Amino acid sequence: SDLRREISLEVGPALLIQAVVSHHREIDEEEILDLWRVTWKEPRRLVEHIAFPASSDEGQLRTRIEQWAKNTREVLVSGTPLEEAVETPVGIGPAHMPRIGSGWIRESELAGNPAFFEVFQVAVGDVLGPVQEANYGWHLFRGVETRATRTYSEVRAQLLQQLLDEPATDEELLTVERLIRRRIS
């Protein structure tokens, strides 16, 4: 009961503030359109990504890192989770440790790097790579999920609610406080 009381004392005011700010929030149609362009206008793909850094002047080490990327690809193809797929070979220093992550991407975000366009060509679950990036090293990608496009009219209400539910900023809090103070002497 003490924990419940403490949580309600913390969460209650925060929810009230969010509800009040959300009620006063004015969302322009352009803001909704911008969010639609980012989320639903073009197909998106959730990808898992491993980047193996190796500069072009590292000779034999670069070759070892390339082989490491190829070996990791084979482990990923077998369905191994991303974090468990990378086994560091002996002699690889911290500067060459792979960067691991995942996220949603759109084709338009890949415009600056045409080597990565194939990410949208592989089937969900398949592994792309190693793809060599000039002056960096190698990349492995695994497609996790694909989301098709949706029309603006289909998702407008959902996007509006998403914008209304965003956490209140300090500026919004001050604006609502000024509005309330004007009404109350």
Side-chain angles (χ1 to χ4, degrees):
S1 66
D2 290 342
L3 178 59
R4 279 194 184 136
R5 187 176 54 246
E6 287 300 317
I7 290 174
S8 66
L9 288 173
E10 285 291 321
V11 174
L15 290 175
L16 178 61
I17 289 169
Q18 183 62 37
V20 170
V21 169
S22 184
H23 176 73
H24 285 87
R25 199 175 264 166
E26 293 179 20
I27 306 292
D28 296 335
E29 199 65 28
E30 194 59 37
E31 290 178 76
I32 305 170
L33 270 168
D34 287 342
L35 184 57
W36 172 73
R37 287 181 192 111
V38 171
T39 56
W40 295 105
K41 185 178 180 185
E42 60 183 301
R44 292 178 295 159
R45 175 153 273 190
L46 178 61
V47 294
E48 296 176 328
H49 174 239
I50 304 176
F52 296 86
S55 64
S56 56
D57 63 344
E58 293 177 306
Q60 188 170 351
L61 179 60
R62 185 171 171 81
T63 305
R64 288 186 61 213
I65 293 173
E66 179 181 14
Q67 187 58 49
W68 181 20
K70 289 177 181 177
N71 294 342
T72 303
R73 180 192 191 285
E74 297 308 314
V75 174
L76 283 174
V77 167
S78 70
T80 304
L82 201 64
E83 292 78 20
E84 298 171 19
V86 180
E87 191 171 311
T88 309
V90 176
I92 302 292
H96 299 289
M97 294 308 293
R99 280 109 175 125
I100 300 172
S102 64
W104 289 97
I105 58 170
R106 301 181 322 263
E107 274 188 352
S108 62
E109 294 173 326
L110 303 175
N113 208 331
F116 299 150
F117 275 124
E118 290 182 51
V119 167
F120 281 87
Q121 306 309 314
V122 297
V124 169
D126 287 353
V127 178
L128 170 66
V131 176
Q132 184 175 6
E133 181 182 9
N135 300 322
Y136 180 79
W138 290 269
H139 299 267
L140 295 173
F141 300 93
R142 178 167 43 197
V144 177
E145 181 183 342
T146 299
R147 287 203 180 149
T149 61
R150 291 180 66 188
T151 64
Y152 179 70
S153 58
E154 281 181 284
V155 294
R156 185 190 178 284
Q158 174 188 343
L159 296 174
L160 175 60
Q161 191 59 50
Q162 184 178 336
L163 290 169
L164 289 172
D165 290 344
E166 285 182 356
T169 64
D170 289 344
E171 185 178 320
E172 287 177 313
L173 289 172
L174 292 173
T175 301
V176 170
E177 181 184 0
R178 279 192 295 270
L179 288 171
I180 293 170
R181 286 185 186 278
R182 281 188 210 143
R183 291 190 314 223
I184 302 168
S185 55

